[in-house]
Amino acid sequence: MNGGRDGRLGVGIIGAGRVGPVVGAALAGAGHALTGITSGSDDDRVEAILPGLPVLPPEEVVRRSELVVIAVPHDQLAGLVAGLADVGAWQPGQLVLHTDPAYGVEVLAPALRCGAIPLAVHPAIVFTGASSIDLRQLAQAYAAVTAPAPVLPIAQALAVELGCEPVVIAETDRPAYAEAVATATQFSRSIVRQSATLLAGVGVENTGAYLSALVRSSVDHALVEGTGPAGADGVPPDATIDG
């Protein structure tokens, strides 16, 4: 990995929702230096996770950083990358990493044309936005990694530094991967909510606590059998990634 002494990078975060600040905290914990983050809907929460980190416009985050992490909603990613290219923000040799499950590196083509290095790393967890919870989950999670072959080891190393086990997903397989993630998480949430509503209707007060062991054991059983969510009575809540 390129960067400063001992492979440490100046890392900027574009996206201050549930994902970006936690990814920043994980990379800071791995020894990288954070350079700035863009403003979001809850800057106080971001300050609590990343105290003292400058809040900057996207162009300034890019200007200051050797690695730019983009964690924005799916429908904003392509326009953001292209817009930053239009204003000449991307720099040759700069690492640009996004966390969207549905895209590989093609969405980063405008940055690539400016000489940047495109990486796609999607940690497969439910981001809550609470750093302590999310960092624990990252340490037990996998991450889908897509990158051009010469720089694939960089993407894999960054996934490891987030705490994840990297799994390589081909560019052409990203849509199917995203569908698998969405199927598991959306179906899971729907089933758990339906079950909780039925339990509340028969007088169970703390439905979340009641279902917790049942849901987790059911998922574990389904995974051992290899049947996935379709064979389980309940599964974990939504893992949708947003910015």
Side-chain angles (χ1 to χ4, degrees):
M1 195 182 306
N2 67 355
R5 186 181 59 185
D6 300 326
R8 288 177 289 184
L9 298 166
V11 180
I13 310 295
I14 298 179
R18 288 179 292 175
V19 181
V22 173
V23 170
L27 291 174
H32 298 293
L34 301 185
T35 61
I37 189 168
T38 54
S39 181
S41 59
D42 189 352
D43 289 343
D44 289 341
R45 180 181 61 82
V46 175
E47 173 65 20
I49 297 173
L50 301 171
L53 186 64
V55 177
L56 304 168
E59 303 95 306
E60 185 64 15
V61 169
V62 174
R63 188 187 71 80
R64 295 186 180 195
S65 305
E66 296 166 289
L67 165 63
V68 179
V69 175
I70 307 176
V72 299
H74 175 82
D75 59 358
Q76 296 179 19
L77 179 57
L80 173 68
V81 175
L84 287 168
D86 289 343
V87 298
W90 301 118
Q91 304 165 41
Q94 185 174 52
L95 300 172
V96 184
L97 179 155
H98 77 75
T99 60
D100 191 288
Y103 285 121
V105 295
E106 180 59 33
V107 72
L108 300 175
L112 174 63
R113 288 193 289 271
C114 297
I117 298 170
L119 312 169
V121 178
H122 170 247
I125 70 165
V126 181
F127 279 91
T128 66
S131 60
S132 59
I133 295 172
D134 292 340
L135 290 172
R136 285 198 301 270
Q137 288 193 112
L138 282 171
Q140 304 172 19
Y142 290 84
V145 173
T146 305
V151 295
L152 183 59
I154 297 176
Q156 292 171 309
L158 288 168
V160 170
E161 289 185 331
L162 290 175
C164 299
E165 177 78 19
V167 176
V168 177
I169 303 293
E171 180 81 19
T172 54
D173 290 335
R174 275 282 183 157
Y177 168 77
E179 182 179 0
V181 170
T183 297
T185 57
Q186 294 171 12
F187 178 77
S188 303
R189 186 174 218 176
S190 175
I191 292 300
V192 169
R193 284 179 171 176
Q194 181 180 357
S195 181
T197 298
L198 291 170
L199 287 173
V202 298
V204 176
E205 293 182 359
N206 192 343
T207 58
Y210 192 93
L211 286 171
S212 179
L214 174 64
V215 167
R216 293 176 190 278
S217 61
S218 182
V219 172
D220 288 344
H221 183 67
L223 292 172
V224 169
E225 289 187 333
T227 57
D233 295 324
V235 281
D238 181 36
T240 301
I241 298 297
D242 73 349

